[in-house]
Amino acid sequence: MTNQHLKVIAGIDTHSDTHHVAIIDETGRHITDKEFLAVGSGYRSIAAFVTGFGPVLAVGVEGTGSYGAELARVLTAEGIRVLEVMRPNRQGRRLRGKSDPLDAY
């Protein structure tokens, strides 16, 4: 599964019980997405998931001060660059069709 020539970026839509992770390549091409439990083992699984596709340029995490705080700490401890992502406007999201995978991408 690992492609050393492929550089990836992950986006993570965080919630209290689950986090949805989307992976794109450096050109913006969608690779895959997956949901994980928002617990310690889930955070470690997220780290393994995002690094399994090649070198990680960065991970955008929604809510690093709340639901994504512990996840951001785990990813940073793994040497992964974490960027705070602001939640999109709720009204705009509802008009486009709200979904966790869409928010993660």
Side-chain angles (χ1 to χ4, degrees):
M1 179 184 327
T2 299
N3 180 346
Q4 294 304 318
H5 301 290
L6 182 69
K7 294 179 182 164
V8 299
I9 301 162
I12 305 177
D13 182 30
T14 62
H15 300 280
S16 62
D17 297 324
T18 62
H19 296 333
H20 203 98
V21 180
I23 307 287
I24 62 172
D25 70 13
E26 61 190 317
T27 66
R29 183 174 56 102
H30 292 202
I31 305 297
T32 190
D33 63 272
K34 187 175 178 179
E35 186 174 76
F36 295 87
L37 291 175
V39 296
S41 61
Y43 304 147
R44 291 185 298 278
S45 294
I46 289 171
F49 180 68
V50 300
T51 58
F53 294 92
V56 179
L57 296 174
V59 175
V61 179
E62 178 186 65
T64 59
S66 58
Y67 292 141
E70 183 60 23
L71 173 60
R73 283 190 283 275
V74 169
L75 295 174
T76 300
E78 292 289 323
I80 298 170
R81 181 177 179 214
V82 175
L83 304 171
E84 167 75 21
V85 176
M86 302 307 291
R87 181 173 60 186
N89 175 283
R90 279 183 190 257
Q91 185 177 19
R93 288 185 333 179
R94 298 289 180 215
L95 292 174
R96 287 192 338 246
K98 163 75 172 98
S99 78
D100 293 341
L102 181 62
D103 286 352
Y105 280 111

